[in-house]
PDB file of all heavy atoms in Angstrom:
ATOM      1  N   SER V 307      70.810 -85.717  46.785  1.00  0.00           N
ATOM      2  CA  SER V 307      69.592 -84.906  46.686  1.00  0.00           C
ATOM      3  C   SER V 307      68.503 -85.608  45.889  1.00  0.00           C
ATOM      4  O   SER V 307      67.383 -85.192  45.875  1.00  0.00           O
ATOM      5  CB  SER V 307      69.899 -83.592  46.069  1.00  0.00           C
ATOM      6  OG  SER V 307      70.063 -83.644  44.681  1.00  0.00           O
ATOM      7  N   ILE V 308      68.897 -86.720  45.187  1.00  0.00           N
ATOM      8  CA  ILE V 308      67.937 -87.367  44.260  1.00  0.00           C
ATOM      9  C   ILE V 308      66.595 -87.764  44.906  1.00  0.00           C
ATOM     10  O   ILE V 308      65.569 -87.444  44.372  1.00  0.00           O
ATOM     11  CB  ILE V 308      68.659 -88.622  43.555  1.00  0.00           C
ATOM     12  CG1 ILE V 308      69.745 -88.110  42.610  1.00  0.00           C
ATOM     13  CG2 ILE V 308      67.564 -89.408  42.778  1.00  0.00           C
ATOM     14  CD1 ILE V 308      70.563 -89.227  42.066  1.00  0.00           C
ATOM     15  N   PRO V 309      66.586 -88.453  46.057  1.00  0.00           N
ATOM     16  CA  PRO V 309      65.300 -88.806  46.623  1.00  0.00           C
ATOM     17  C   PRO V 309      64.417 -87.638  46.940  1.00  0.00           C
ATOM     18  O   PRO V 309      63.238 -87.637  46.714  1.00  0.00           O
ATOM     19  CB  PRO V 309      65.685 -89.563  47.978  1.00  0.00           C
ATOM     20  CG  PRO V 309      67.085 -90.089  47.702  1.00  0.00           C
ATOM     21  CD  PRO V 309      67.733 -89.063  46.869  1.00  0.00           C
ATOM     22  N   SER V 310      65.021 -86.526  47.483  1.00  0.00           N
ATOM     23  CA  SER V 310      64.188 -85.367  47.839  1.00  0.00           C
ATOM     24  C   SER V 310      63.662 -84.655  46.601  1.00  0.00           C
ATOM     25  O   SER V 310      62.611 -84.057  46.464  1.00  0.00           O
ATOM     26  CB  SER V 310      64.923 -84.396  48.726  1.00  0.00           C
ATOM     27  OG  SER V 310      66.150 -83.918  48.064  1.00  0.00           O
ATOM     28  N   GLN V 311      64.487 -84.712  45.507  1.00  0.00           N
ATOM     29  CA  GLN V 311      64.079 -84.070  44.231  1.00  0.00           C
ATOM     30  C   GLN V 311      62.899 -84.793  43.641  1.00  0.00           C
ATOM     31  O   GLN V 311      61.918 -84.224  43.108  1.00  0.00           O
ATOM     32  CB  GLN V 311      65.211 -84.101  43.228  1.00  0.00           C
ATOM     33  CG  GLN V 311      66.500 -83.415  43.672  1.00  0.00           C
ATOM     34  CD  GLN V 311      66.706 -82.056  42.954  1.00  0.00           C
ATOM     35  OE1 GLN V 311      65.830 -81.590  42.293  1.00  0.00           O
ATOM     36  NE2 GLN V 311      67.819 -81.396  43.213  1.00  0.00           N
ATOM     37  N   LEU V 312      62.921 -86.154  43.745  1.00  0.00           N
ATOM     38  CA  LEU V 312      61.763 -86.951  43.210  1.00  0.00           C
ATOM     39  C   LEU V 312      60.521 -86.871  44.104  1.00  0.00           C
ATOM     40  O   LEU V 312      59.460 -87.153  43.585  1.00  0.00           O
ATOM     41  CB  LEU V 312      62.246 -88.441  43.124  1.00  0.00           C
ATOM     42  CG  LEU V 312      63.263 -88.808  42.033  1.00  0.00           C
ATOM     43  CD1 LEU V 312      63.650 -90.265  42.189  1.00  0.00           C
ATOM     44  CD2 LEU V 312      62.645 -88.553  40.735  1.00  0.00           C
ATOM     45  N   ALA V 313      60.712 -86.425  45.282  1.00  0.00           N
ATOM     46  CA  ALA V 313      59.529 -86.309  46.211  1.00  0.00           C
ATOM     47  C   ALA V 313      58.683 -85.145  45.920  1.00  0.00           C
ATOM     48  O   ALA V 313      57.502 -85.051  46.406  1.00  0.00           O
ATOM     49  CB  ALA V 313      60.008 -86.304  47.678  1.00  0.00           C
ATOM     50  N   ARG V 314      59.149 -84.201  45.115  1.00  0.00           N
ATOM     51  CA  ARG V 314      58.425 -82.954  44.853  1.00  0.00           C
ATOM     52  C   ARG V 314      57.286 -83.218  43.845  1.00  0.00           C
ATOM     53  O   ARG V 314      57.353 -84.247  43.068  1.00  0.00           O
ATOM     54  CB  ARG V 314      59.329 -81.866  44.237  1.00  0.00           C
ATOM     55  CG  ARG V 314      60.426 -81.455  45.273  1.00  0.00           C
ATOM     56  CD  ARG V 314      60.942 -80.054  44.911  1.00  0.00           C
ATOM     57  NE  ARG V 314      61.218 -80.019  43.452  1.00  0.00           N
ATOM     58  CZ  ARG V 314      62.381 -80.248  42.895  1.00  0.00           C
ATOM     59  NH1 ARG V 314      63.346 -80.696  43.650  1.00  0.00           N
ATOM     60  NH2 ARG V 314      62.534 -80.143  41.555  1.00  0.00           N
ATOM     61  N   GLU V 315      56.301 -82.435  43.852  1.00  0.00           N
ATOM     62  CA  GLU V 315      55.168 -82.614  42.857  1.00  0.00           C
ATOM     63  C   GLU V 315      55.647 -82.578  41.432  1.00  0.00           C
ATOM     64  O   GLU V 315      55.253 -83.467  40.634  1.00  0.00           O
ATOM     65  CB  GLU V 315      54.137 -81.508  43.118  1.00  0.00           C
ATOM     66  CG  GLU V 315      52.835 -81.633  42.372  1.00  0.00           C
ATOM     67  CD  GLU V 315      52.025 -82.859  42.853  1.00  0.00           C
ATOM     68  OE1 GLU V 315      51.991 -83.071  44.069  1.00  0.00           O
ATOM     69  OE2 GLU V 315      51.429 -83.489  42.009  1.00  0.00           O
ATOM     70  N   TYR V 316      56.452 -81.501  41.116  1.00  0.00           N
ATOM     71  CA  TYR V 316      57.076 -81.525  39.803  1.00  0.00           C
ATOM     72  C   TYR V 316      58.491 -81.859  40.002  1.00  0.00           C
ATOM     73  O   TYR V 316      59.225 -81.191  40.677  1.00  0.00           O
ATOM     74  CB  TYR V 316      56.920 -80.152  39.132  1.00  0.00           C
ATOM     75  CG  TYR V 316      57.653 -79.989  37.847  1.00  0.00           C
ATOM     76  CD1 TYR V 316      57.772 -81.040  36.928  1.00  0.00           C
ATOM     77  CD2 TYR V 316      58.187 -78.801  37.383  1.00  0.00           C
ATOM     78  CE1 TYR V 316      58.383 -80.949  35.716  1.00  0.00           C
ATOM     79  CE2 TYR V 316      58.836 -78.585  36.207  1.00  0.00           C
ATOM     80  CZ  TYR V 316      58.942 -79.735  35.381  1.00  0.00           C
ATOM     81  OH  TYR V 316      59.630 -79.605  34.175  1.00  0.00           O
ATOM     82  N   LYS V 317      58.896 -83.002  39.389  1.00  0.00           N
ATOM     83  CA  LYS V 317      60.180 -83.616  39.767  1.00  0.00           C
ATOM     84  C   LYS V 317      61.370 -83.123  38.951  1.00  0.00           C
ATOM     85  O   LYS V 317      62.389 -83.750  38.994  1.00  0.00           O
ATOM     86  CB  LYS V 317      60.016 -85.142  39.654  1.00  0.00           C
ATOM     87  CG  LYS V 317      58.915 -85.694  40.553  1.00  0.00           C
ATOM     88  CD  LYS V 317      58.560 -87.115  40.262  1.00  0.00           C
ATOM     89  CE  LYS V 317      57.480 -87.635  41.181  1.00  0.00           C
ATOM     90  NZ  LYS V 317      56.211 -86.927  40.937  1.00  0.00           N
ATOM     91  N   LYS V 318      61.175 -82.053  38.218  1.00  0.00           N
ATOM     92  CA  LYS V 318      62.360 -81.491  37.531  1.00  0.00           C
ATOM     93  C   LYS V 318      63.511 -81.267  38.411  1.00  0.00           C
ATOM     94  O   LYS V 318      63.351 -80.720  39.503  1.00  0.00           O
ATOM     95  CB  LYS V 318      61.953 -80.197  36.823  1.00  0.00           C
ATOM     96  CG  LYS V 318      63.114 -79.482  36.145  1.00  0.00           C
ATOM     97  CD  LYS V 318      62.754 -78.096  35.665  1.00  0.00           C
ATOM     98  CE  LYS V 318      63.973 -77.294  35.298  1.00  0.00           C
ATOM     99  NZ  LYS V 318      63.704 -75.865  34.977  1.00  0.00           N
ATOM    100  N   PHE V 319      64.726 -81.698  38.049  1.00  0.00           N
ATOM    101  CA  PHE V 319      65.912 -81.497  38.888  1.00  0.00           C
ATOM    102  C   PHE V 319      66.289 -80.063  38.911  1.00  0.00           C
ATOM    103  O   PHE V 319      66.465 -79.433  37.887  1.00  0.00           O
ATOM    104  CB  PHE V 319      67.087 -82.368  38.304  1.00  0.00           C
ATOM    105  CG  PHE V 319      68.266 -82.440  39.232  1.00  0.00           C
ATOM    106  CD1 PHE V 319      68.326 -83.488  40.182  1.00  0.00           C
ATOM    107  CD2 PHE V 319      69.226 -81.489  39.248  1.00  0.00           C
ATOM    108  CE1 PHE V 319      69.385 -83.601  41.029  1.00  0.00           C
ATOM    109  CE2 PHE V 319      70.340 -81.579  40.067  1.00  0.00           C
ATOM    110  CZ  PHE V 319      70.380 -82.610  40.994  1.00  0.00           C
ATOM    111  N   THR V 320      66.377 -79.531  40.117  1.00  0.00           N
ATOM    112  CA  THR V 320      66.768 -78.067  40.322  1.00  0.00           C
ATOM    113  C   THR V 320      68.017 -78.054  41.122  1.00  0.00           C
ATOM    114  O   THR V 320      68.178 -78.676  42.166  1.00  0.00           O
ATOM    115  CB  THR V 320      65.664 -77.317  40.998  1.00  0.00           C
ATOM    116  OG1 THR V 320      65.363 -77.892  42.265  1.00  0.00           O
ATOM    117  CG2 THR V 320      64.376 -77.249  40.138  1.00  0.00           C
ATOM    118  N   PHE V 321      69.009 -77.250  40.664  1.00  0.00           N
ATOM    119  CA  PHE V 321      70.237 -77.131  41.385  1.00  0.00           C
ATOM    120  C   PHE V 321      70.160 -76.376  42.657  1.00  0.00           C
ATOM    121  O   PHE V 321      70.919 -76.632  43.586  1.00  0.00           O
ATOM    122  CB  PHE V 321      71.326 -76.543  40.454  1.00  0.00           C
ATOM    123  CG  PHE V 321      71.623 -77.395  39.256  1.00  0.00           C
ATOM    124  CD1 PHE V 321      71.037 -77.146  37.991  1.00  0.00           C
ATOM    125  CD2 PHE V 321      72.443 -78.438  39.339  1.00  0.00           C
ATOM    126  CE1 PHE V 321      71.278 -77.886  36.871  1.00  0.00           C
ATOM    127  CE2 PHE V 321      72.738 -79.254  38.266  1.00  0.00           C
ATOM    128  CZ  PHE V 321      72.125 -78.994  37.011  1.00  0.00           C
TER     129      PHE V 321
END
Side-chain angles (χ1 to χ4, degrees):
S307 77
I308 292 172
S310 61
Q311 300 257 6
L312 288 175
R314 299 201 314 270
E315 187 68 37
Y316 176 34
K317 301 171 182 62
K318 172 190 170 185
F319 191 90
T320 58
F321 294 99

